[in-house]
Amino acid sequence: MQSLGAVLTALLAVDFGAAASRFKRNAALWGIVAVLLITAYVFALVAIALVLAEYYSPIIASVAIAVALLAVALMIVALMAVRNARDRRLVDERRRRSLLQTNLALAAATSILRKQPLIGVGTAIAVGLLLGLGKRRRRSDRR
């Protein structure tokens, strides 16, 4: 019988190998899809320019397409700015709530410590132990 470590290692190696080959295959296929979509976009723009050139001059058709694309790009930038500002407001609100909760906890702890000072000593010892002030160093660490 093989050891459990060898079996798990073999399973992990197979999973990583399969995931890597799947990632490479998907990356290649998505690259092909992206090239085809970009090509379709360019041909759609050319077709729109040709249709507009029948009614207006080719220069005006090109400028109209450029202005339309610029307007869409500016709208997307504005949308991104609005969403980023909203996300910043949400982060600030969470930070304020966290600070408020911390302040309320400190106020409650202060009032409890005034009424029962032994709890304060116990709390200080517990915090000290949690922070590692009570750890002793090994002899190998001192050298």
Side-chain angles (χ1 to χ4, degrees), residues 37-53:
L37 286 174
I38 290 171
T39 305
Y41 177 73
V42 168
F43 277 106
L45 288 177
V46 169
I48 292 170
L50 290 175
V51 168
L52 288 175

Side-chain angles (χ1 to χ4, degrees), residues 8-24:
L8 290 176
T9 304
L11 286 173
L12 288 176
V14 170
D15 288 342
F16 285 134
S21 66
R22 194 172 38 234
F23 178 75
K24 289 176 186 176

Side-chain angles (χ1 to χ4, degrees), residues 21-102:
S21 66
R22 194 172 38 234
F23 178 75
K24 289 176 186 176
R25 182 184 65 235
N26 285 341
L29 291 175
W30 278 111
I32 292 170
V33 168
V35 167
L36 292 173
L37 286 174
I38 290 171
T39 305
Y41 177 73
V42 168
F43 277 106
L45 288 177
V46 169
I48 292 170
L50 290 175
V51 168
L52 288 175
E54 288 181 9
Y55 297 106
Y56 307 104
S57 71
I59 293 175
I60 293 176
S62 299
V63 170
I65 292 173
V67 168
L69 292 176
L70 180 65
V72 170
L74 289 176
M75 285 189 290
I76 291 173
V77 168
L79 177 68
M80 287 173 41
V82 167
R83 293 195 66 151
N84 286 339
R86 184 182 134 254
D87 290 343
R88 268 188 254 116
R89 279 194 311 269
L90 289 174
V91 167
D92 288 342
E93 181 63 28
R94 286 186 196 123
R95 186 177 301 130
R96 274 188 293 244
R97 286 182 189 163
S98 175
L99 289 174
L100 179 65
Q101 290 173 349
T102 303

